[in-house]
mmCIF file of all heavy atoms in Angstrom:
data_model
loop_
_atom_site.group_PDB
_atom_site.id
_atom_site.type_symbol
_atom_site.label_atom_id
_atom_site.label_comp_id
_atom_site.label_asym_id
_atom_site.label_seq_id
_atom_site.Cartn_x
_atom_site.Cartn_y
_atom_site.Cartn_z
ATOM 1 N N ALA A 560 32.892 14.686 31.649
ATOM 2 C CA ALA A 560 33.535 15.817 32.316
ATOM 3 C C ALA A 560 33.024 17.146 31.760
ATOM 4 O O ALA A 560 32.830 18.112 32.510
ATOM 5 C CB ALA A 560 35.047 15.721 32.165
ATOM 6 N N SER A 561 32.776 17.189 30.445
ATOM 7 C CA SER A 561 32.288 18.429 29.838
ATOM 8 C C SER A 561 30.876 18.754 30.322
ATOM 9 O O SER A 561 30.533 19.927 30.491
ATOM 10 C CB SER A 561 32.310 18.325 28.310
ATOM 11 O OG SER A 561 31.274 17.492 27.812
ATOM 12 N N PHE A 562 30.042 17.724 30.555
ATOM 13 C CA PHE A 562 28.700 17.962 31.079
ATOM 14 C C PHE A 562 28.770 18.657 32.435
ATOM 15 O O PHE A 562 28.050 19.623 32.706
ATOM 16 C CB PHE A 562 27.933 16.647 31.228
ATOM 17 C CG PHE A 562 27.529 16.005 29.931
ATOM 18 C CD1 PHE A 562 27.246 14.650 29.866
ATOM 19 C CD2 PHE A 562 27.420 16.746 28.765
ATOM 20 C CE1 PHE A 562 26.872 14.041 28.688
ATOM 21 C CE2 PHE A 562 27.048 16.147 27.562
ATOM 22 C CZ PHE A 562 26.774 14.800 27.534
ATOM 23 N N ALA A 563 29.642 18.135 33.320
ATOM 24 C CA ALA A 563 29.770 18.710 34.654
ATOM 25 C C ALA A 563 30.309 20.134 34.584
ATOM 26 O O ALA A 563 29.860 21.028 35.312
ATOM 27 C CB ALA A 563 30.677 17.831 35.511
ATOM 28 N N LYS A 564 31.276 20.355 33.708
ATOM 29 C CA LYS A 564 31.867 21.689 33.582
ATOM 30 C C LYS A 564 30.853 22.699 33.055
ATOM 31 O O LYS A 564 30.735 23.816 33.574
ATOM 32 C CB LYS A 564 33.082 21.621 32.658
ATOM 33 C CG LYS A 564 33.822 22.942 32.531
ATOM 34 C CD LYS A 564 35.071 22.788 31.671
ATOM 35 C CE LYS A 564 35.823 24.114 31.558
ATOM 36 N NZ LYS A 564 37.038 23.986 30.713
ATOM 37 N N GLN A 565 30.088 22.302 32.018
ATOM 38 C CA GLN A 565 29.109 23.220 31.437
ATOM 39 C C GLN A 565 27.969 23.525 32.395
ATOM 40 O O GLN A 565 27.342 24.579 32.307
ATOM 41 C CB GLN A 565 28.562 22.630 30.130
ATOM 42 C CG GLN A 565 29.588 22.600 29.009
ATOM 43 C CD GLN A 565 29.068 21.912 27.764
ATOM 44 O OE1 GLN A 565 28.478 22.541 26.890
ATOM 45 N NE2 GLN A 565 29.284 20.612 27.668
ATOM 46 N N ALA A 566 27.698 22.593 33.327
ATOM 47 C CA ALA A 566 26.645 22.815 34.316
ATOM 48 C C ALA A 566 27.119 23.660 35.489
ATOM 49 O O ALA A 566 26.322 24.008 36.364
ATOM 50 C CB ALA A 566 26.121 21.478 34.826
ATOM 51 N N GLY A 567 28.412 23.976 35.508
ATOM 52 C CA GLY A 567 28.952 24.746 36.621
ATOM 53 C C GLY A 567 29.297 23.904 37.815
ATOM 54 O O GLY A 567 29.552 24.427 38.907
ATOM 55 N N LEU A 568 29.333 22.577 37.652
ATOM 56 C CA LEU A 568 29.694 21.659 38.737
ATOM 57 C C LEU A 568 31.164 21.292 38.544
ATOM 58 O O LEU A 568 31.511 20.154 38.245
ATOM 59 C CB LEU A 568 28.790 20.423 38.699
ATOM 60 C CG LEU A 568 27.282 20.730 38.671
ATOM 61 C CD1 LEU A 568 26.488 19.447 38.510
ATOM 62 C CD2 LEU A 568 26.853 21.479 39.909
ATOM 63 N N VAL A 569 32.041 22.250 38.714
ATOM 64 C CA VAL A 569 33.441 22.122 38.315
ATOM 65 C C VAL A 569 34.149 21.024 39.081
ATOM 66 O O VAL A 569 34.938 20.263 38.525
ATOM 67 C CB VAL A 569 34.185 23.467 38.510
ATOM 68 C CG1 VAL A 569 35.644 23.322 38.115
ATOM 69 C CG2 VAL A 569 33.515 24.553 37.689
ATOM 70 N N ALA A 570 33.852 20.904 40.368
ATOM 71 C CA ALA A 570 34.522 19.880 41.170
ATOM 72 C C ALA A 570 34.240 18.492 40.623
ATOM 73 O O ALA A 570 35.135 17.653 40.488
ATOM 74 C CB ALA A 570 34.078 19.965 42.629
ATOM 75 N N ASP A 571 32.966 18.247 40.261
ATOM 76 C CA ASP A 571 32.616 16.951 39.693
ATOM 77 C C ASP A 571 33.308 16.744 38.355
ATOM 78 O O ASP A 571 33.769 15.661 38.036
ATOM 79 C CB ASP A 571 31.092 16.843 39.519
ATOM 80 C CG ASP A 571 30.376 16.605 40.844
ATOM 81 O OD1 ASP A 571 31.071 16.377 41.845
ATOM 82 O OD2 ASP A 571 29.152 16.663 40.844
ATOM 83 N N GLY A 572 33.372 17.800 37.561
ATOM 84 C CA GLY A 572 34.034 17.683 36.269
ATOM 85 C C GLY A 572 35.504 17.339 36.420
ATOM 86 O O GLY A 572 36.044 16.515 35.687
ATOM 87 N N ALA A 573 36.151 17.959 37.406
ATOM 88 C CA ALA A 573 37.562 17.659 37.655
ATOM 89 C C ALA A 573 37.749 16.224 38.101
ATOM 90 O O ALA A 573 38.684 15.534 37.694
ATOM 91 C CB ALA A 573 38.113 18.616 38.710
ATOM 92 N N ALA A 574 36.814 15.736 38.936
ATOM 93 C CA ALA A 574 36.899 14.356 39.422
ATOM 94 C C ALA A 574 36.728 13.372 38.275
ATOM 95 O O ALA A 574 37.436 12.365 38.191
ATOM 96 C CB ALA A 574 35.841 14.114 40.498
ATOM 97 N N ILE A 575 35.804 13.661 37.381
ATOM 98 C CA ILE A 575 35.586 12.783 36.240
ATOM 99 C C ILE A 575 36.816 12.756 35.342
ATOM 100 O O ILE A 575 37.247 11.714 34.861
ATOM 101 C CB ILE A 575 34.337 13.241 35.448
ATOM 102 C CG1 ILE A 575 33.080 13.000 36.284
ATOM 103 C CG2 ILE A 575 34.232 12.494 34.133
ATOM 104 C CD1 ILE A 575 31.840 13.647 35.713
ATOM 105 N N SER A 576 37.400 13.932 35.115
ATOM 106 C CA SER A 576 38.581 14.005 34.252
ATOM 107 C C SER A 576 39.744 13.210 34.814
ATOM 108 O O SER A 576 40.604 12.740 34.067
ATOM 109 C CB SER A 576 39.000 15.468 34.079
ATOM 110 O OG SER A 576 37.977 16.204 33.434
ATOM 111 N N ALA A 577 39.760 13.039 36.146
ATOM 112 C CA ALA A 577 40.876 12.343 36.791
ATOM 113 C C ALA A 577 40.712 10.832 36.780
ATOM 114 O O ALA A 577 41.651 10.111 37.110
ATOM 115 C CB ALA A 577 41.022 12.823 38.237
ATOM 116 N N VAL A 578 39.537 10.338 36.406
ATOM 117 C CA VAL A 578 39.312 8.894 36.426
ATOM 118 C C VAL A 578 40.162 8.217 35.363
ATOM 119 O O VAL A 578 40.228 8.686 34.242
ATOM 120 C CB VAL A 578 37.817 8.578 36.184
ATOM 121 C CG1 VAL A 578 37.626 7.094 35.952
ATOM 122 C CG2 VAL A 578 36.989 9.033 37.359
#
Side-chain angles (χ1 to χ4, degrees):
S561 74
F562 289 158
K564 184 176 181 180
Q565 291 175 89
L568 308 175
V569 179
D571 285 352
I575 292 169
S576 297
V578 170

